[in-house]
Amino acid sequence: MLENWVVVPTCLPLVRRRCHACSSERFRASGNFRVNANHKLIDAWLLALCIACGDTTKLTVLDRRNVRSIRPELLDRLHDNDSGLTAELLQDPGVQRRNRITLDWTNAWRLDTGGSVRLDREAIDVSVRFAERIPARPVRLIAEGFGLSRAEVERLIDEGKLVSGVRLCGKLSGDFTFTFKR
């Protein structure tokens, strides 16, 4: 019997970046964009607010790009402060690298198991799918999904009762499957 679990975001992640005003390291994406055009060139930023002092920082989305090279749909979404675009841009590795930021997914996701999982079967195959690239520890997901402690999950891995084609230690942000044997 195959169980399907999904890791889904519940809100936007926090942005890790040092605040120039108060030295905090967490910002909340406001969902607002600032767009500035100078003749044929355009700049666009995603605005983020420091969670400690409320200071605003700009995350570069477009930098001195020719207006004609930008898709009209993207410009419309920037002008409309599209919240879906905010989520897409925060996940974009290019935007993260350009702005030297990382994302903090703490308390910003949940595991949807589709109901209670019965542990009375001989073997349970579980497919874990990520709705977004959310880094999570498989041990934590398995513990939460089965209602076990993380230490108990690690013991089951050591005993060979939890097997997978991927390493279950560390963090993953891609889909994986595992088998739980009684």
Side-chain angles (χ1 to χ4, degrees), residues 144-170:
E144 189 175 318
F146 287 129
L148 305 171
S149 69
R150 284 189 283 200
E152 190 171 353
V153 170
E154 289 174 356
R155 183 183 56 79
L156 291 170
I157 291 171
D158 292 341
E159 292 175 358
K161 293 185 177 181
L162 273 172
V163 293
S164 178
V166 299
R167 279 186 34 208
L168 296 175
C169 58

Side-chain angles (χ1 to χ4, degrees), residues 1-137:
M1 184 81 167
L2 179 67
E3 299 282 335
N4 292 306
W5 295 356
V6 182
V7 178
V8 294
T10 56
C11 61
L12 290 175
L14 294 177
V15 175
R16 286 186 182 156
R17 181 180 193 171
R18 183 171 288 293
C19 178
H20 298 293
C22 72
S23 298
S24 171
E25 294 193 5
R26 303 276 191 279
F27 283 83
R28 180 181 48 82
S30 69
N32 294 325
F33 294 93
R34 178 166 180 225
V35 180
N36 185 24
N38 186 3
H39 300 288
K40 295 179 183 178
L41 300 178
I42 191 167
D43 297 307
W45 301 275
L46 172 62
L47 302 179
L49 305 171
C50 176
I51 61 170
C53 70
D55 194 43
T56 302
T57 190
K58 298 186 294 188
L59 304 176
T60 302
V61 176
L62 300 173
D63 188 28
R64 299 310 231 177
R65 297 273 304 272
N66 190 311
V67 176
R68 292 184 184 264
S69 70
I70 310 299
R71 294 185 331 269
E73 307 86 44
L74 177 58
L75 284 175
D76 289 342
R77 292 176 76 187
L78 287 168
H79 288 297
D80 293 340
N81 292 323
D82 186 345
S83 61
L85 181 61
T86 300
E88 289 173 29
L89 291 172
L90 284 176
Q91 292 276 328
D92 185 357
V95 171
Q96 290 179 13
R97 196 172 35 258
R98 183 182 308 122
N99 293 286
R100 296 184 193 103
I101 61 169
T102 57
L103 300 179
D104 181 1
W105 283 97
T106 306
N107 300 323
W109 60 270
R110 67 179 166 80
L111 178 66
D112 184 9
T113 60
S116 62
V117 179
R118 293 183 18 213
L119 295 176
D120 59 348
R121 292 182 282 184
E122 192 64 34
I124 303 169
D125 292 320
V126 179
S127 171
V128 180
R129 189 176 62 79
F130 288 81
E132 299 286 340
R133 287 189 334 242
I134 302 170
R137 297 185 185 283

